Amino acid sequence: MAFQFPFKFAGSTETAAIGRRELPSRMMEYDQPLVWVTILLMLTGMVMVYSASIALPDSPKFSNYTNNYFVTRQALFIVVSLCAGLIAFRFRIETLQRLAPLMFIGTLVLLALVLVPGIGVVVNGGRRWLNLRVFNLQPSEVMKIVMVLYAADFTVRKQQYMHKLTKGFMPMAVAVGLVGFLLLLEPDLGAFGVIVCIAMGILFLGGFNAIWFGGIGAVLVMVFTTIIAFSKFRRERLFAYLDPWQEEHALNKSYQLTHSLIAFGRGEIFGVGLGGSLEKLHYLPEAHTDFLLAVIGEELGLAGVLVVIAMFYWLVKRAFDIGRQAIALDQHYAGLVAKGIGIWIGIQTFINMGVNLGLLPTKGLTLPLMSYGGSGVLFNCVGLAILLRIDYENRVKMRGGSL
């Protein structure tokens, strides 16, 4: 039996004339493949989080945890995230557009609160979380989906100024710059990079002048290069990435990268088998979060990694397809939001996989939907629920219904 949402949505029925009778048709169909791919990614991630974290209690740092601590919490995160997704699905896209500026301001306040001593939680040297008792909220994850909504709203409102630098770009540059300033104080350069890509991508898709876009892109490259050049630990990471097997690097800044590459090498084509990873046995740090793909590569091999890549590729492609359909129906805001969600998931997935495979310098970004973490999974689900809502509204309009 096909999965059905446990409630009806406003405008979810229509009538069909059959002779002289009018019969109510069934509720508009939703995108079932999108739902199942999302659930499959989360469940696969939960299994791999269990495999990657089962040995952690053997180390002094996690000695107070049980072997199933992380998988239990991940399962709870998934249940809460699915419930949050169902709630997010009920919001009409025009409501989200109206609330986007307020949500942006509210998330800026959260980013500022993180920096307040006694309120922000420090983990591994970074002050990036707010303690909500039940779990730690990471405002940078909130900002990713809020930036999608806000940048799309800005682009639609300023459509007539998209060819101008002062009115079409500078206000957004100021907003993103403020976000970047707060994130770099945490510090969280990875999240800032993703947010910049989201904002720039939406502006470009919204019709921003291509010449200006190229010039600003070059400036951003210079900005990030300058940030790295004047930050000792980031500079050391970059040099370690360029030559990870050099002895002084392999035992220091490129320690995670070298062990990630060893994990992929051990996995070969079909892996050593689920649960058989050696690198997760305290050799590969953060194996259940940032480097989950390395454990997948070791235990499931190239075949498992390619399946994960294929699912993410399909997810991103589907987001752009839904966005194009919305724009064809004159729902420009919804279309930009859908494509923005595709950019967000695609860029973060690319960076995480690139880091795991040694294609990019080491950066602390999780694999969407799969890595351990409450904030990441929660707001990934909310973003994809909004994508499902856009697709749902597209289907309603194509069938002549009303919301």
Side-chain angles (χ1 to χ4, degrees), residues 140-141 143-145 147-148 151 176 179-180 183 188-202 220 224 340-352 360 363-366 368 380:
S140 60
E141 294 293 336
M143 181 54 79
K144 290 172 186 175
I145 183 59
M147 180 55 72
V148 171
V176 174
V179 172
L183 286 174
D188 195 349
L189 183 62
F192 180 39
V194 172
I195 288 169
V196 168
C197 289
I198 291 170
M200 290 296 292
I202 291 176
L220 286 173
F224 279 94
I341 292 171
I343 292 171
W344 165 31
I345 299 295
I347 288 293
Q348 184 161 330
T349 300
F350 173 76
I351 293 175
N352 177 272
L360 298 172
K363 198 73 220 71
L365 282 174
T366 57
N380 290 159

mmCIF file of all heavy atoms in Angstrom, residues 140-141 143-145 147-148 151 176 179-180 183 188-202 220 224 340-352 360 363-366 368 380:
data_model
loop_
_atom_site.group_PDB
_atom_site.id
_atom_site.type_symbol
_atom_site.label_atom_id
_atom_site.label_comp_id
_atom_site.label_asym_id
_atom_site.label_seq_id
_atom_site.Cartn_x
_atom_site.Cartn_y
_atom_site.Cartn_z
ATOM 1 N N SER A 140 23.645 28.005 12.690
ATOM 2 C CA SER A 140 24.125 28.068 11.311
ATOM 3 C C SER A 140 23.314 27.133 10.411
ATOM 4 O O SER A 140 23.120 27.420 9.223
ATOM 5 C CB SER A 140 25.605 27.712 11.230
ATOM 6 O OG SER A 140 25.852 26.409 11.713
ATOM 7 N N GLU A 141 22.813 26.013 10.963
ATOM 8 C CA GLU A 141 21.956 25.117 10.191
ATOM 9 C C GLU A 141 20.603 25.773 9.916
ATOM 10 O O GLU A 141 20.021 25.599 8.844
ATOM 11 C CB GLU A 141 21.758 23.789 10.929
ATOM 12 C CG GLU A 141 23.016 22.953 11.079
ATOM 13 C CD GLU A 141 23.528 22.423 9.747
ATOM 14 O OE1 GLU A 141 22.733 22.303 8.793
ATOM 15 O OE2 GLU A 141 24.738 22.137 9.654
ATOM 16 N N MET A 143 20.202 28.968 9.616
ATOM 17 C CA MET A 143 20.440 30.041 8.658
ATOM 18 C C MET A 143 20.478 29.531 7.221
ATOM 19 O O MET A 143 20.129 30.270 6.292
ATOM 20 C CB MET A 143 21.736 30.778 9.007
ATOM 21 C CG MET A 143 22.078 31.940 8.078
ATOM 22 S SD MET A 143 20.729 33.169 7.912
ATOM 23 C CE MET A 143 20.932 34.100 9.444
ATOM 24 N N LYS A 144 20.880 28.289 7.004
ATOM 25 C CA LYS A 144 20.958 27.763 5.636
ATOM 26 C C LYS A 144 19.584 27.763 4.977
ATOM 27 O O LYS A 144 19.425 28.255 3.862
ATOM 28 C CB LYS A 144 21.559 26.355 5.640
ATOM 29 C CG LYS A 144 23.045 26.334 5.996
ATOM 30 C CD LYS A 144 23.554 24.917 6.192
ATOM 31 C CE LYS A 144 24.998 24.914 6.694
ATOM 32 N NZ LYS A 144 25.492 23.557 7.006
ATOM 33 N N ILE A 145 18.581 27.218 5.646
ATOM 34 C CA ILE A 145 17.234 27.190 5.051
ATOM 35 C C ILE A 145 16.613 28.585 5.058
ATOM 36 O O ILE A 145 15.924 28.978 4.117
ATOM 37 C CB ILE A 145 16.323 26.171 5.773
ATOM 38 C CG1 ILE A 145 14.951 26.104 5.106
ATOM 39 C CG2 ILE A 145 16.190 26.479 7.251
ATOM 40 C CD1 ILE A 145 14.969 25.701 3.648
ATOM 41 N N MET A 147 18.244 31.383 4.738
ATOM 42 C CA MET A 147 18.880 32.131 3.657
ATOM 43 C C MET A 147 18.232 31.784 2.312
ATOM 44 O O MET A 147 18.080 32.655 1.445
ATOM 45 C CB MET A 147 20.375 31.852 3.619
ATOM 46 C CG MET A 147 21.131 32.597 2.511
ATOM 47 S SD MET A 147 20.887 34.410 2.564
ATOM 48 C CE MET A 147 21.863 34.836 4.008
ATOM 49 N N VAL A 148 17.863 30.532 2.129
ATOM 50 C CA VAL A 148 17.152 30.149 0.900
ATOM 51 C C VAL A 148 15.862 30.954 0.776
ATOM 52 O O VAL A 148 15.577 31.548 -0.274
ATOM 53 C CB VAL A 148 16.841 28.635 0.903
ATOM 54 C CG1 VAL A 148 15.901 28.287 -0.260
ATOM 55 C CG2 VAL A 148 18.118 27.812 0.788
ATOM 56 N N ALA A 151 16.750 34.932 0.500
ATOM 57 C CA ALA A 151 17.371 35.322 -0.771
ATOM 58 C C ALA A 151 16.362 35.227 -1.916
ATOM 59 O O ALA A 151 16.361 36.077 -2.817
ATOM 60 C CB ALA A 151 18.586 34.437 -1.059
ATOM 61 N N VAL A 176 24.469 39.088 3.850
ATOM 62 C CA VAL A 176 25.350 37.924 3.891
ATOM 63 C C VAL A 176 26.638 38.258 4.652
ATOM 64 O O VAL A 176 27.170 37.421 5.388
ATOM 65 C CB VAL A 176 25.676 37.437 2.466
ATOM 66 C CG1 VAL A 176 26.714 36.317 2.490
ATOM 67 C CG2 VAL A 176 24.414 36.945 1.771
ATOM 68 N N VAL A 179 25.969 37.979 8.321
ATOM 69 C CA VAL A 179 25.944 36.555 8.688
ATOM 70 C C VAL A 179 27.370 36.008 8.759
ATOM 71 O O VAL A 179 27.739 35.302 9.703
ATOM 72 C CB VAL A 179 25.112 35.740 7.672
ATOM 73 C CG1 VAL A 179 25.244 34.236 7.934
ATOM 74 C CG2 VAL A 179 23.649 36.155 7.721
ATOM 75 N N GLY A 180 28.170 36.349 7.749
ATOM 76 C CA GLY A 180 29.553 35.879 7.710
ATOM 77 C C GLY A 180 30.368 36.368 8.889
ATOM 78 O O GLY A 180 31.181 35.620 9.454
ATOM 79 N N LEU A 183 29.439 34.251 11.833
ATOM 80 C CA LEU A 183 29.908 32.874 11.684
ATOM 81 C C LEU A 183 31.425 32.766 11.851
ATOM 82 O O LEU A 183 31.924 31.794 12.417
ATOM 83 C CB LEU A 183 29.499 32.316 10.314
ATOM 84 C CG LEU A 183 28.015 31.968 10.145
ATOM 85 C CD1 LEU A 183 27.723 31.564 8.711
ATOM 86 C CD2 LEU A 183 27.614 30.841 11.089
ATOM 87 N N ASP A 188 33.128 29.364 11.907
ATOM 88 C CA ASP A 188 32.513 28.328 11.080
ATOM 89 C C ASP A 188 32.585 28.758 9.613
ATOM 90 O O ASP A 188 31.594 29.197 9.027
ATOM 91 C CB ASP A 188 31.065 28.101 11.504
ATOM 92 C CG ASP A 188 30.490 26.813 10.936
ATOM 93 O OD1 ASP A 188 31.140 26.217 10.054
ATOM 94 O OD2 ASP A 188 29.390 26.403 11.363
ATOM 95 N N LEU A 189 33.779 28.639 9.044
ATOM 96 C CA LEU A 189 33.992 29.054 7.656
ATOM 97 C C LEU A 189 33.224 28.170 6.688
ATOM 98 O O LEU A 189 32.750 28.640 5.654
ATOM 99 C CB LEU A 189 35.488 29.014 7.326
ATOM 100 C CG LEU A 189 35.892 29.498 5.924
ATOM 101 C CD1 LEU A 189 35.526 30.964 5.730
ATOM 102 C CD2 LEU A 189 37.387 29.289 5.685
ATOM 103 N N GLY A 190 33.064 26.886 7.014
ATOM 104 C CA GLY A 190 32.352 25.970 6.123
ATOM 105 C C GLY A 190 30.906 26.367 5.932
ATOM 106 O O GLY A 190 30.409 26.426 4.806
ATOM 107 N N ALA A 191 30.205 26.647 7.041
ATOM 108 C CA ALA A 191 28.804 27.072 6.952
ATOM 109 C C ALA A 191 28.691 28.391 6.200
ATOM 110 O O ALA A 191 27.764 28.584 5.402
ATOM 111 C CB ALA A 191 28.202 27.207 8.342
ATOM 112 N N PHE A 192 29.640 29.302 6.431
ATOM 113 C CA PHE A 192 29.630 30.580 5.720
ATOM 114 C C PHE A 192 29.766 30.359 4.217
ATOM 115 O O PHE A 192 29.076 30.994 3.413
ATOM 116 C CB PHE A 192 30.762 31.461 6.247
ATOM 117 C CG PHE A 192 30.847 32.813 5.583
ATOM 118 C CD1 PHE A 192 29.700 33.524 5.262
ATOM 119 C CD2 PHE A 192 32.080 33.372 5.284
ATOM 120 C CE1 PHE A 192 29.777 34.779 4.649
ATOM 121 C CE2 PHE A 192 32.168 34.614 4.664
ATOM 122 C CZ PHE A 192 31.019 35.315 4.347
ATOM 123 N N GLY A 193 30.659 29.449 3.825
ATOM 124 C CA GLY A 193 30.835 29.150 2.403
ATOM 125 C C GLY A 193 29.566 28.621 1.765
ATOM 126 O O GLY A 193 29.193 29.017 0.654
ATOM 127 N N VAL A 194 28.865 27.725 2.474
ATOM 128 C CA VAL A 194 27.604 27.180 1.947
ATOM 129 C C VAL A 194 26.561 28.279 1.807
ATOM 130 O O VAL A 194 25.851 28.365 0.797
ATOM 131 C CB VAL A 194 27.083 26.053 2.869
ATOM 132 C CG1 VAL A 194 25.685 25.608 2.440
ATOM 133 C CG2 VAL A 194 28.034 24.861 2.840
ATOM 134 N N ILE A 195 26.463 29.143 2.814
ATOM 135 C CA ILE A 195 25.466 30.226 2.791
ATOM 136 C C ILE A 195 25.757 31.210 1.664
ATOM 137 O O ILE A 195 24.838 31.687 0.984
ATOM 138 C CB ILE A 195 25.426 30.915 4.165
ATOM 139 C CG1 ILE A 195 24.765 29.979 5.181
ATOM 140 C CG2 ILE A 195 24.676 32.247 4.092
ATOM 141 C CD1 ILE A 195 24.884 30.424 6.616
ATOM 142 N N VAL A 196 27.035 31.529 1.440
ATOM 143 C CA VAL A 196 27.407 32.401 0.320
ATOM 144 C C VAL A 196 26.991 31.765 -1.010
ATOM 145 O O VAL A 196 26.451 32.443 -1.889
ATOM 146 C CB VAL A 196 28.923 32.694 0.331
ATOM 147 C CG1 VAL A 196 29.363 33.336 -0.980
ATOM 148 C CG2 VAL A 196 29.283 33.605 1.491
ATOM 149 N N CYS A 197 27.236 30.473 -1.160
ATOM 150 C CA CYS A 197 26.853 29.773 -2.400
ATOM 151 C C CYS A 197 25.342 29.800 -2.608
ATOM 152 O O CYS A 197 24.857 29.968 -3.740
ATOM 153 C CB CYS A 197 27.345 28.331 -2.361
ATOM 154 S SG CYS A 197 29.134 28.146 -2.531
ATOM 155 N N ILE A 198 24.583 29.627 -1.523
ATOM 156 C CA ILE A 198 23.118 29.675 -1.618
ATOM 157 C C ILE A 198 22.664 31.046 -2.110
ATOM 158 O O ILE A 198 21.876 31.161 -3.063
ATOM 159 C CB ILE A 198 22.479 29.359 -0.252
ATOM 160 C CG1 ILE A 198 22.699 27.892 0.116
ATOM 161 C CG2 ILE A 198 20.983 29.679 -0.279
ATOM 162 C CD1 ILE A 198 22.303 27.557 1.546
ATOM 163 N N ALA A 199 23.159 32.104 -1.448
ATOM 164 C CA ALA A 199 22.730 33.463 -1.806
ATOM 165 C C ALA A 199 23.137 33.817 -3.230
ATOM 166 O O ALA A 199 22.324 34.334 -4.010
ATOM 167 C CB ALA A 199 23.329 34.462 -0.810
ATOM 168 N N MET A 200 24.381 33.547 -3.596
ATOM 169 C CA MET A 200 24.859 33.881 -4.931
ATOM 170 C C MET A 200 24.143 33.056 -5.992
ATOM 171 O O MET A 200 23.811 33.556 -7.071
ATOM 172 C CB MET A 200 26.370 33.652 -5.008
ATOM 173 C CG MET A 200 27.189 34.641 -4.206
ATOM 174 S SD MET A 200 27.032 36.339 -4.828
ATOM 175 C CE MET A 200 27.860 36.197 -6.410
ATOM 176 N N GLY A 201 23.908 31.783 -5.697
ATOM 177 C CA GLY A 201 23.217 30.923 -6.652
ATOM 178 C C GLY A 201 21.805 31.395 -6.937
ATOM 179 O O GLY A 201 21.359 31.424 -8.090
ATOM 180 N N ILE A 202 21.083 31.778 -5.891
ATOM 181 C CA ILE A 202 19.714 32.256 -6.076
ATOM 182 C C ILE A 202 19.697 33.586 -6.830
ATOM 183 O O ILE A 202 18.844 33.813 -7.708
ATOM 184 C CB ILE A 202 19.001 32.369 -4.716
ATOM 185 C CG1 ILE A 202 18.753 30.967 -4.144
ATOM 186 C CG2 ILE A 202 17.677 33.132 -4.844
ATOM 187 C CD1 ILE A 202 18.138 30.959 -2.761
ATOM 188 N N LEU A 220 34.939 37.219 -4.118
ATOM 189 C CA LEU A 220 34.686 36.280 -3.023
ATOM 190 C C LEU A 220 35.829 35.278 -2.882
ATOM 191 O O LEU A 220 36.211 34.908 -1.772
ATOM 192 C CB LEU A 220 33.364 35.542 -3.260
ATOM 193 C CG LEU A 220 32.096 36.363 -3.018
ATOM 194 C CD1 LEU A 220 30.863 35.590 -3.458
ATOM 195 C CD2 LEU A 220 31.981 36.742 -1.543
ATOM 196 N N PHE A 224 37.936 34.767 0.580
ATOM 197 C CA PHE A 224 38.183 33.504 1.263
ATOM 198 C C PHE A 224 39.669 33.176 1.300
ATOM 199 O O PHE A 224 40.166 32.629 2.286
ATOM 200 C CB PHE A 224 37.397 32.374 0.586
ATOM 201 C CG PHE A 224 35.954 32.299 1.009
ATOM 202 C CD1 PHE A 224 34.962 32.922 0.274
ATOM 203 C CD2 PHE A 224 35.601 31.618 2.164
ATOM 204 C CE1 PHE A 224 33.635 32.852 0.662
ATOM 205 C CE2 PHE A 224 34.277 31.546 2.573
ATOM 206 C CZ PHE A 224 33.290 32.165 1.832
ATOM 207 N N GLY A 340 17.017 26.815 -4.693
ATOM 208 C CA GLY A 340 17.918 27.145 -3.593
ATOM 209 C C GLY A 340 18.144 25.956 -2.675
ATOM 210 O O GLY A 340 19.267 25.731 -2.200
ATOM 211 N N ILE A 341 17.088 25.185 -2.422
ATOM 212 C CA ILE A 341 17.229 23.969 -1.613
ATOM 213 C C ILE A 341 18.135 22.978 -2.333
ATOM 214 O O ILE A 341 18.982 22.313 -1.709
ATOM 215 C CB ILE A 341 15.843 23.361 -1.315
ATOM 216 C CG1 ILE A 341 15.054 24.288 -0.384
ATOM 217 C CG2 ILE A 341 15.981 21.963 -0.699
ATOM 218 C CD1 ILE A 341 13.602 23.899 -0.206
ATOM 219 N N GLY A 342 17.989 22.876 -3.657
ATOM 220 C CA GLY A 342 18.866 22.014 -4.435
ATOM 221 C C GLY A 342 20.325 22.461 -4.344
ATOM 222 O O GLY A 342 21.234 21.633 -4.207
ATOM 223 N N ILE A 343 20.555 23.788 -4.411
ATOM 224 C CA ILE A 343 21.920 24.316 -4.279
ATOM 225 C C ILE A 343 22.488 23.987 -2.910
ATOM 226 O O ILE A 343 23.637 23.547 -2.776
ATOM 227 C CB ILE A 343 21.921 25.842 -4.509
ATOM 228 C CG1 ILE A 343 21.584 26.163 -5.981
ATOM 229 C CG2 ILE A 343 23.277 26.449 -4.148
ATOM 230 C CD1 ILE A 343 21.361 27.636 -6.238
ATOM 231 N N TRP A 344 21.701 24.210 -1.874
ATOM 232 C CA TRP A 344 22.126 23.950 -0.500
ATOM 233 C C TRP A 344 22.548 22.488 -0.305
ATOM 234 O O TRP A 344 23.671 22.206 0.129
ATOM 235 C CB TRP A 344 20.987 24.335 0.448
ATOM 236 C CG TRP A 344 21.087 23.830 1.845
ATOM 237 C CD1 TRP A 344 22.232 23.589 2.557
ATOM 238 C CD2 TRP A 344 19.995 23.507 2.713
ATOM 239 N NE1 TRP A 344 21.904 23.132 3.820
ATOM 240 C CE2 TRP A 344 20.558 23.076 3.941
ATOM 241 C CE3 TRP A 344 18.608 23.560 2.576
ATOM 242 C CZ2 TRP A 344 19.757 22.683 5.014
ATOM 243 C CZ3 TRP A 344 17.819 23.173 3.637
ATOM 244 C CH2 TRP A 344 18.384 22.746 4.848
ATOM 245 N N ILE A 345 21.651 21.567 -0.637
ATOM 246 C CA ILE A 345 21.949 20.145 -0.452
ATOM 247 C C ILE A 345 23.124 19.732 -1.341
ATOM 248 O O ILE A 345 24.026 19.002 -0.917
ATOM 249 C CB ILE A 345 20.720 19.285 -0.770
ATOM 250 C CG1 ILE A 345 19.548 19.635 0.170
ATOM 251 C CG2 ILE A 345 21.063 17.796 -0.665
ATOM 252 C CD1 ILE A 345 19.798 19.321 1.615
ATOM 253 N N GLY A 346 23.131 20.213 -2.592
ATOM 254 C CA GLY A 346 24.175 19.837 -3.535
ATOM 255 C C GLY A 346 25.554 20.334 -3.118
ATOM 256 O O GLY A 346 26.529 19.575 -3.142
ATOM 257 N N ILE A 347 25.648 21.611 -2.726
ATOM 258 C CA ILE A 347 26.939 22.191 -2.345
ATOM 259 C C ILE A 347 27.486 21.533 -1.080
ATOM 260 O O ILE A 347 28.669 21.163 -1.004
ATOM 261 C CB ILE A 347 26.805 23.715 -2.138
ATOM 262 C CG1 ILE A 347 26.631 24.422 -3.485
ATOM 263 C CG2 ILE A 347 28.012 24.278 -1.404
ATOM 264 C CD1 ILE A 347 27.850 24.365 -4.381
ATOM 265 N N GLN A 348 26.622 21.359 -0.066
ATOM 266 C CA GLN A 348 27.105 20.772 1.184
ATOM 267 C C GLN A 348 27.521 19.322 0.982
ATOM 268 O O GLN A 348 28.528 18.871 1.547
ATOM 269 C CB GLN A 348 26.037 20.874 2.271
ATOM 270 C CG GLN A 348 26.539 20.371 3.620
ATOM 271 C CD GLN A 348 25.713 20.866 4.783
ATOM 272 O OE1 GLN A 348 25.127 21.946 4.743
ATOM 273 N NE2 GLN A 348 25.642 20.070 5.846
ATOM 274 N N THR A 349 26.765 18.583 0.166
ATOM 275 C CA THR A 349 27.128 17.191 -0.129
ATOM 276 C C THR A 349 28.459 17.135 -0.868
ATOM 277 O O THR A 349 29.330 16.312 -0.552
ATOM 278 C CB THR A 349 26.040 16.527 -0.979
ATOM 279 O OG1 THR A 349 24.798 16.539 -0.254
ATOM 280 C CG2 THR A 349 26.401 15.083 -1.312
ATOM 281 N N PHE A 350 28.634 18.027 -1.854
ATOM 282 C CA PHE A 350 29.869 18.057 -2.635
ATOM 283 C C PHE A 350 31.071 18.365 -1.749
ATOM 284 O O PHE A 350 32.121 17.716 -1.858
ATOM 285 C CB PHE A 350 29.762 19.097 -3.747
ATOM 286 C CG PHE A 350 31.052 19.309 -4.504
ATOM 287 C CD1 PHE A 350 31.482 18.394 -5.442
ATOM 288 C CD2 PHE A 350 31.834 20.423 -4.242
ATOM 289 C CE1 PHE A 350 32.674 18.576 -6.122
ATOM 290 C CE2 PHE A 350 33.030 20.626 -4.922
ATOM 291 C CZ PHE A 350 33.452 19.687 -5.871
ATOM 292 N N ILE A 351 30.925 19.336 -0.846
ATOM 293 C CA ILE A 351 32.044 19.701 0.030
ATOM 294 C C ILE A 351 32.388 18.553 0.965
ATOM 295 O O ILE A 351 33.554 18.193 1.137
ATOM 296 C CB ILE A 351 31.719 20.980 0.819
ATOM 297 C CG1 ILE A 351 31.618 22.184 -0.128
ATOM 298 C CG2 ILE A 351 32.779 21.241 1.881
ATOM 299 C CD1 ILE A 351 31.187 23.470 0.550
ATOM 300 N N ASN A 352 31.353 17.955 1.601
ATOM 301 C CA ASN A 352 31.614 16.852 2.522
ATOM 302 C C ASN A 352 32.292 15.680 1.815
ATOM 303 O O ASN A 352 33.290 15.133 2.305
ATOM 304 C CB ASN A 352 30.315 16.387 3.171
ATOM 305 C CG ASN A 352 30.511 15.192 4.085
ATOM 306 O OD1 ASN A 352 30.456 14.043 3.648
ATOM 307 N ND2 ASN A 352 30.767 15.454 5.350
ATOM 308 N N LEU A 360 39.159 18.231 -1.510
ATOM 309 C CA LEU A 360 39.061 19.572 -0.920
ATOM 310 C C LEU A 360 39.745 19.578 0.443
ATOM 311 O O LEU A 360 39.841 18.519 1.092
ATOM 312 C CB LEU A 360 37.584 19.980 -0.761
ATOM 313 C CG LEU A 360 36.752 20.100 -2.042
ATOM 314 C CD1 LEU A 360 35.280 20.306 -1.691
ATOM 315 C CD2 LEU A 360 37.250 21.233 -2.908
ATOM 316 N N LYS A 363 37.271 20.345 6.106
ATOM 317 C CA LYS A 363 36.332 21.350 6.609
ATOM 318 C C LYS A 363 35.216 20.634 7.342
ATOM 319 O O LYS A 363 34.766 19.581 6.921
ATOM 320 C CB LYS A 363 35.738 22.171 5.431
ATOM 321 C CG LYS A 363 35.123 23.462 5.864
ATOM 322 C CD LYS A 363 36.169 24.479 6.242
ATOM 323 C CE LYS A 363 35.859 25.309 7.444
ATOM 324 N NZ LYS A 363 35.904 24.671 8.748
ATOM 325 N N GLY A 364 34.756 21.203 8.426
ATOM 326 C CA GLY A 364 33.760 20.550 9.267
ATOM 327 C C GLY A 364 32.341 20.724 8.781
ATOM 328 O O GLY A 364 31.579 21.498 9.368
ATOM 329 N N LEU A 365 31.961 20.019 7.734
ATOM 330 C CA LEU A 365 30.584 20.021 7.255
ATOM 331 C C LEU A 365 30.069 18.591 7.221
ATOM 332 O O LEU A 365 30.759 17.689 6.746
ATOM 333 C CB LEU A 365 30.483 20.635 5.855
ATOM 334 C CG LEU A 365 30.537 22.162 5.759
ATOM 335 C CD1 LEU A 365 30.577 22.594 4.304
ATOM 336 C CD2 LEU A 365 29.343 22.805 6.458
ATOM 337 N N THR A 366 28.863 18.392 7.717
ATOM 338 C CA THR A 366 28.289 17.051 7.766
ATOM 339 C C THR A 366 27.689 16.655 6.417
ATOM 340 O O THR A 366 27.424 17.507 5.562
ATOM 341 C CB THR A 366 27.194 16.972 8.837
ATOM 342 O OG1 THR A 366 26.193 17.969 8.559
ATOM 343 C CG2 THR A 366 27.772 17.209 10.218
ATOM 344 N N PRO A 368 24.572 15.777 4.486
ATOM 345 C CA PRO A 368 23.149 16.017 4.726
ATOM 346 C C PRO A 368 22.349 14.729 4.893
ATOM 347 O O PRO A 368 22.586 13.740 4.185
ATOM 348 C CB PRO A 368 22.709 16.772 3.467
ATOM 349 C CG PRO A 368 23.946 17.455 2.995
ATOM 350 C CD PRO A 368 25.072 16.500 3.304
ATOM 351 N N ASN A 380 17.470 19.803 7.427
ATOM 352 C CA ASN A 380 17.431 19.147 6.119
ATOM 353 C C ASN A 380 16.018 18.670 5.825
ATOM 354 O O ASN A 380 15.504 18.844 4.713
ATOM 355 C CB ASN A 380 18.381 17.946 6.079
ATOM 356 C CG ASN A 380 19.841 18.336 6.093
ATOM 357 O OD1 ASN A 380 20.692 17.536 6.452
ATOM 358 N ND2 ASN A 380 20.157 19.571 5.706
#
